[in-house]
DNA sequence: CGATACGTCCTTTTT
DNA sequence: GGACGTATCG
């Protein structure tokens, strides 16, 4: 089979490229994954490389997964031998083999942002700094950006010696590093930075990888930061003069500047890799001409770019609809009403629709509205599954078993469930640990020597022997059996079962879900040890997680809600971009500069180019921010879209007329609807009835429901009411659905019927 | 000592 | 409007 057939001329030129560095500038929707996968398949099929000689780096696990699948469809070789993964997962793989050269144990654990914050707070306290003045989060981001530049704490301190506050931050950085080392833990930035350091300081290891990887491919190159760039360079530029580095990116989609991504990496690629070939892909296969005209019109206003113009053969797209609303509630309502219209009238599947927003906080209003309309939805990010307390606790047990030096996890679970080891005992152990420079778990062995009550000593000893037992079990049980055993032996299960409230039961459900995720991992991967599992969940992105949940639930027709950042790389038939107001999108704060605005514009460009067929842009004139109203003017980005792209009979005009008309009717005929606020009545159903003239307003059902009743929900099927709260039209019900788990609904709005 | 109540800070965006 | 940390009550 001719692997290159079906590619256009430019794509083919890129895919056929053999030796030497090459930069492919691939605009949104121009088929860059296609080029990447075809090139890899081509290299292997023509015998230029063996599967294990290829390193392909992506930004999300989802992208890596997709790449593997698509290569698998093209050729019949052992794909698992290829190193296809994210920067972080590739680095973990390298570090697991040789990190001992840097003085770490190979069983290191990975600390996420929350763990970092806790550790930094400890450092601030230990240095006796004012916790009000020194904000852990701010310091975390400073440390992160220093690490991305490979700046050590010492260097930072000497560079900022004259500035008292900065010098202190440097001290925090220094102590933080020390603590990480003591815990044998790495943070996200370390994963990359330590790998680079390992290769910089160990010639033999570097040579090993130079020999191994004949071809290196990097996706989303515009989002690489300084250390990631160094990694690509050190692996890619070999002594023998070979540098087969193939990078794909789009400077117009560079949206991670705030976490150190450096747009000049892509703009200056030709300087760093001399004689690099450059190919531009501009033909778009995703969107209609209207959407591309809008996108081109917007991005034209940026200066930091190489310049390109997307085009398509698809010439007859629907015009963009602009929706102006009074406030965020109205906006949410309009979005859900329009979605249900698209679904019914144009047969657009829910899974082909997405709502994008700038900040996670905006999802709330949208979510409530979708719930009322009975539209199934899935939120990416925000409240993360793995961030729930019960899940984090179990993970902490696992991390401590994997690596006994992990003090953060030790502190987290030492007294959860309660085992009579109070703050004072923990403090004593901690001091002893610091004095003797060992971890807290290790110093728990010496608990008898410490001045503690006999009761406390016994409790600690019981804890230690329980953990020792689990460490033995780890080596003889399968992963899922083992985790189940941790759940039971630690008393965690008993503690949860004791709590018979709705929350308690939902915690049990969450753990069950976690256990089945572990089971799934065990079956799906060959490398399925505890350390593999822990690394896997630590490095999952929000989009990956949402994907996994979707797989697990086996249901596919969901509307997707997500931030524009999370949406990168995805596409949908119909896209709603919401919150298009100044100071919201673009978000821009007081210390704004032109670069920030350009990044916001690129972000908007990403949002617009997610749409294949239909694009809605919405904004609210009044938005509730931190509980108070703020008047907003519409985003400047709207004005940058050519006016001929817009549909002038914008839906809000029609809708407003219908609503007004109906309001008058209601006012004259239905004075008895007093328990409802007028707005709520209108939002509940009248609008829908007005547009479609089909469904009648439901009767009030708040008073009729009671705990134990069986109900039927329009979208979620049959369920049982387990709890009721609130009164009147605020009454909420917690319902256990047969197939959809536990959900909370507003009784007066939810499309449910008593059975 | 432990649970609850109130005050503070906050939020861009994520591997 | 919510998460988290300290103050206060039982």
């Amino acid at each position: 089979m001719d692997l290159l057939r079906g590619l256009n001329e430019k794509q083919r030129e890129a895919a056929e490229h053999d030796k030497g560095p090459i930069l492919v500038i691939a605009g949104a929707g121009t088929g860059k994954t296609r080029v990447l996968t075809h090139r890899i398949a081509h290299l292997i099929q023509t015998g230029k490389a063996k599967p294990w000689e290829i390193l392909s780096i992506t930004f999300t696990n989802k992208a890596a997964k997709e790449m593997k699948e698509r290569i698998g469809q093209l050729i019949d070789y052992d794909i698992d031998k290829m190193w296809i993964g994210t920067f972080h997962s590739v680095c973990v793989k390298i570090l697991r083999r040789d990190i001992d050269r840097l003085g770490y144990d190979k069983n290191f654990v990975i600390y996420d942002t929350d763990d970092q914050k806790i550790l930094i707070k400890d450092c601030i306290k230990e240095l006796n700094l004012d916790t009000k003045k020194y904000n852990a989060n701010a310091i975390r981001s400073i440390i992160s950006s220093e690490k991305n530049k490979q700046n050590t704490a010492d260097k930072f301190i000497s560079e900022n010696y004259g500035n008292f506050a900065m010098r202190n931050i440097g001290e925090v950085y220094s102590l933080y590093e020390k603590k990480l080392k003591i815990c044998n833990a790495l943070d996200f930035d370390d994963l990359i930075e330590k790998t680079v350091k390992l290769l910089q300081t160990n010639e033999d290891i570097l040579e090993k990888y130079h020999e191994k990887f004949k071809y290196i491919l990097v996706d989303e190159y515009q989002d690489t930061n300084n250390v990631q760039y160094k990694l690509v360079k050190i692996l890619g530029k070999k002594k023998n003069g070979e540098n087969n580095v193939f990078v794909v990116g789009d400077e117009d989609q560079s949206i991670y500047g705030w976490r150190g991504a450096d747009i000049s990496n892509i703009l200056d690629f030709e300087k760093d890799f001399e004689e690099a070939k450059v190919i531009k892909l501009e033909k778009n296969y995703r969107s209609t001409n209207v959407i591309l005209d809008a996108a081109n019109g917007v991005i034209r206003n940026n200066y930091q770019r190489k310049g390109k113009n997307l085009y398509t053969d698809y010439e007859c797209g629907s015009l963009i609809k602009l929706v102006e609303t009074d406030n965020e509630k109205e906006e949410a309502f309009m979005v859900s009403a329009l979605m249900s219209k698209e679904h019914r009238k144009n047969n657009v599947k829910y899974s082909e629709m997405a709502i994008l927003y700038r900040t996670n906080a905006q999802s709330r209003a949208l979510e409530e509205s979708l719930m009322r309309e009975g539209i199934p939805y899935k939120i990416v990010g925000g409240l993360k599954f793995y961030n729930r307390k019960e899940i984090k606790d179990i993970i902490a047990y696992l991390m401590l078993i994997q690596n006994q030096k992990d003090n953060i996890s030790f502190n987290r679970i030492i007294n959860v469930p309660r085992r009579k080891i109070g703050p004072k005992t923990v403090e004593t152990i901690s001091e002893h640990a610091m004095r003797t420079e060992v971890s807290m778990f290790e110093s728990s062995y010496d608990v008898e020597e410490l001045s503690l009550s006999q009761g406390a000593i016994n409790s600690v000893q019981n804890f230690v022997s329980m953990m020792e037992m689990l460490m033995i079990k780890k080596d003889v049980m399968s992963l899922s059996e083992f985790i189940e055993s941790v759940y039971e032996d630690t008393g965690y299960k008993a503690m949860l079962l004791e709590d018979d409230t709705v929350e308690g039961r939902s915690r049990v459900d969450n753990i069950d879900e976690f256990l089945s995720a572990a089971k799934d991992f065990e079956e799906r991967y060959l490398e399925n040890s505890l350390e593999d599992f822990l690394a896997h969940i630590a490095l999952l992105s929000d989009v990956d997680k949402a994907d996994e949940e979707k797989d697990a639930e086996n249901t596919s027709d969901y509307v997707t809600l997500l931030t524009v950042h999370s949406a990168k790389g995805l596409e949908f038939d119909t896209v709603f971009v919401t919150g298009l107001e100044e100071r919201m999108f673009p978000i821009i704060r007081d210390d704004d500069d032109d670069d920030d605005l350009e990044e916001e514009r690129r972000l908007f460009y990403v949002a617009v180019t997610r749409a294949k067929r239909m694009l809605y842009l919405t904004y609210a004139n009044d938005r509730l921010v931190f509980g108070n109203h703020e008047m907003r003017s519409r985003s400047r980005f709207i004005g940058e879209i050519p006016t001929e792209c817009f549909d002038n009979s914008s839906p809000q005009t029609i809708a407003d007329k219908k609503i007004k008309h109906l309001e008058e009717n209601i006012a004259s005929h239905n004075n008895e609807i007093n328990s409802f606020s007028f707005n709520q009545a209108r939002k509940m159903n009248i609008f829908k009835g007005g547009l479609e003239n089909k469904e009648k307003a439901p009767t009030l059902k708040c008073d009729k429901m009671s705990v134990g009743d069986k109900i039927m929900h329009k979208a979620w099927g049959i369920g049982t009411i387990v709890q009721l709260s609130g009164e009147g039209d605020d009454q909420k019900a917690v319902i256990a659905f047969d197939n959809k788990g536990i959900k909370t609904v507003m009784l007066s709005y939810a499309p449910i019927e008593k059975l």
Side-chain angles (χ1 to χ4, degrees), chain A residues 563-599:
Chain A
T563 63
V564 184
H565 283 91
S566 298
K568 195 164 74 147
L570 308 179
E571 58 177 34
F572 302 90
D573 174 87
T574 301
V575 169
F576 292 79
V577 184
T578 63
L580 282 169
E581 300 119 40
E582 281 295 302
R583 318 208 95 234
M584 185 58 130
F585 198 177
I587 205 156
I588 307 295
R589 306 169 95 175
D590 298 333
D591 56 344
D592 61 338
D593 62 37
D594 292 350
D595 286 355
D596 292 335
L597 180 65
E598 292 214 350
E599 182 151 316

Side-chain angles (χ1 to χ4, degrees), chain A residues 91-100 104-111 183-187 191 399 402-403 531 534-535:
Chain A
C91 287
V92 169
K93 218 163 160 180
I94 293 175
L95 292 174
R96 284 274 185 236
R97 299 182 178 191
D98 293 306
I99 198 174
D100 50 328
Y104 285 80
D105 301 336
K106 288 181 180 177
N107 62 340
F108 64 86
V109 290
I110 301 163
Y111 277 179
C183 295
N184 194 31
L186 302 184
D187 62 27
L191 294 176
M399 284 169 77
Q402 149 84 11
N403 165 30
E531 75 179 23
L534 288 174

